Amino acid sequence: MELFSDQFNGYLWQMVQGAYITLQLFAAGFTLALVLGTLIGIVTLSRNWLIQAVWKTYASIIMGVPSLLIIFLLYYGGSAMLSGLFGTDRSFDVTPFGAGVTALTIVYAAYVAELVHGAVMNLPKGQFEACSALAIGPVAAWRHVILPQLTRLALPGLVNIWMIVLKDTPLVSLAGLNDLVANAKIAAGATKEPFIFFIAASLFFIVFSALTLRLSARLEARFGRGLAEVKA
Amino acid sequence: MSALPIDFALAWDSLPQMAEGLVTTLLITVLVLVLGLPLSVLVTLARMSRSRILSWPAAAFVVFFRGAPLLILLYLVYYGFGQIEALRDGPLWVIFGSAFACAVIGLTLNHVAYMVEVVRGSLNAVPAGLVEASAALGLTPRETFTYIRLPLAMRYGLAAYQNEVVMFTKGTAVVSVITVIDLTAVANELFEETYDPFTPMLTAAAFYWCLVNAIRLGFGALENHLNRHQRREQAVKPTTPAGAAAAAAEPPAGAPVAPLRRMIGSDRRPVPVKAAAPALSTATPKEHAL
Amino acid sequence: MSALQTETGPQPVAAPRPIAVEMTGVEKYYGKFKALSGIDLTVRKGEKIVICGPSGSGKSTLIRTINRLEPHDGGTIVVNGITLDGSPTSVQDVRLECGMVFQQFNLFPHLTILENCMLAPRLTRKLSKTQAEALALKYLERVHIGAQTHKYPSQLSGGQQQRVAIARALCMEPPIMLFDEPTSALDPEMIKEVLQVMEDLAEDGMTMICVTHEMGFARRVANRCVFMDQGEIVEEARAEEFFEAPKSDRLKAFLAQILH
């Protein structure tokens, strides 16, 4: 097949549209996981045994089971679950995209929560004690002292999770989502040019990660400002 | 409809099939681990080499096979190499014609690329002060690597290695897309036969959960073995980073210090003479309970 | 380079002893930052030198150039007749002449106390296992750690760890010992046990160069004290003069700060 023939360009255009869907899935999944995970991370700082038991079970299951299985479970079983929750009189359509976003959120919220946990544990106890000693209330302490430091401590881990979520998005194509990888596979099969299309798809992921890594390095430098001064 | 969405009879009947799938999953995991470890050390050495002829290809290898999603790598190996005419007729077709072998190749490439960062990271995690101390004692760089850096890196890297092994074991679930009948493939087949959306997936999930936790237990035992006499390290640590920070205040930074610790530690003033405890016998120093 | 620098410090002994370390015009840069400028320092065999100065004054850098943990950028350093020219053999030879004790102890965490002390003698002095063990035990006894040789560093207190680090350096039986702020990372109650070991060593006639803020130790042990600031040797004098009659303003200010 000729490069840049009409047929080739058609497949290329399909891949671009697929890439758009991949990015949407990624953005939705990561954002929701970040918000939910941070909330879970803060709530589970509580020593309440029930909260701890629920958290430990949730984390253990998520971290012990492939995300692909969770995507399948939500896609195949999603409508049954929704019916179970909201009554059987209505029927629910579960799209691959919906199932994918939900699965990525549920899975990576656990990882984000664990990261937040670790960051809080790594904060020197003195930070909390100093806030108490200065009579700063708990809300103000979190807002002005703890969270800004957490962001910096958790940033490298968040970048890591970002990369993993990005590379997990193609799994949703196995539930029928027409994303970048699904379209690459169709193009590769139809044109018998697997190397071109699969390598192009890989490069999309590689370039996207490289760009975000650069951004995160800048962010880290920004968050590290106060520290650089102390070092000198 | 029962309260629980799980059909226990179906789960029980599917156990033999599931077990077969598990064996395939295990086989792939073990093969990739065994192939991956020596390969990752080789690629890491190439990556850290001063010669650009070695380090650049190794770096490119890592960027590509780490950056590309596993699913694409599997497609690339399975469909890509299947298209090459020369390969179809050659003796290597035994390998590239088999979906199982393609799965092992794709996973190994991905695993090795991740492991290069693990191995490199743990070698770099060895505190600079220890390498310096070794040099100050007159050990050659090679001796320092063999007796100090490598054994310590193995201990530091264990947690990251465990993480990678767990991640990639879970990652093997995608091999079903290139027709390998692993645990996930078995669950999918059963779903298509029974249209029960929960039972097969949850049964497979239980198998994966047990496998992953067995791996965790194994690593835990290994770690205990390697650190058998160092359980008190945690208790002593607090003095070290603070002190290391004081060293970092002088231009040549000492051991790597967590950024926050550095901020706190730099307040430490040299201790005045007067502060020395008045009546401390040096002959019989205070014993620390274990 | 400055007029303040005493070129002929009062000699502690009448007959000049052979020279152990001779630094002439030593310079060291970190990028554009001049960490050492025109350092001239002569240490004779058996002398005990204490180097002090504010943080960032280059005192650690100075002591680290002597065994080439930091390569110097200008001037010459001669240690026991070996010129440090950067060749691998000279570096190796100089490191066998100098034992070094670090602020952070830097014991090898994966080796027992005994193994920490045996490693270098076995590798560089090619001693047999029994010989190395006997040697290690001898020096561990000397720093009063004889009973805990099979523990790991993390199981000891900071003071004990630092004494092991001293024993580990002594096991190479070096003629010169370098101490880089050996007590700065220790809790106050542990400083004395380490200083006591160092004083014992001094009494045995070891050549010692010591970066420290322990002024009591300096008064009791040092033949000469060297004050550094901003990468230069500002003042160099016998211990009594150094403390009782400091000449330069910078040293006066420093002493006022450190002695309250």
Side-chain angles (χ1 to χ4, degrees), chain A residues 117-174:
Chain A
H117 254 217
V120 174
M121 297 304 166
N122 269 332
L123 270 184
K125 234 177 138 191
Q127 297 290 316
F128 293 96
E129 286 172 1
C131 287
S132 308
L134 291 166
I136 300 173
V139 175
W142 272 87
R143 161 83 184 72
H144 295 284
V145 180
I146 308 300
L147 275 181
Q149 297 191 55
L150 282 190
T151 321
R152 196 189 58 242
L153 283 176
L155 194 63
L158 274 183
V159 172
N160 207 21
I161 293 178
W162 169 282
M163 296 291 169
I164 298 174
V165 176
L166 178 68
K167 279 177 265 175
D168 253 11
T169 53
L171 295 182
V172 185
S173 73
L174 301 180

Side-chain angles (χ1 to χ4, degrees), chain C residues 88-120:
Chain C
T89 47
S90 75
V91 173
Q92 203 68 7
D93 288 348
V94 162
R95 285 178 180 169
L96 294 177
E97 296 294 315
C98 303
M100 185 159 200
V101 177
F102 299 85
Q103 182 179 16
Q104 289 311 312
F105 332 139
N106 289 344
L107 294 179
F108 305 129
H110 61 305
L111 302 178
T112 62
I113 300 311
L114 193 62
E115 288 164 347
N116 258 283
C117 295
M118 288 167 61
L119 183 71

Side-chain angles (χ1 to χ4, degrees), chain B residues 20 39 56 63 77 81-82 84 111 144 157 185 204 206 227 266-267 285:
Chain B
E20 272 177 49
L39 280 175
W56 283 22
V63 167
V77 175
F81 286 103
I84 302 175
H111 174 59
T144 301
N227 296 336
S266 56
D267 287 337

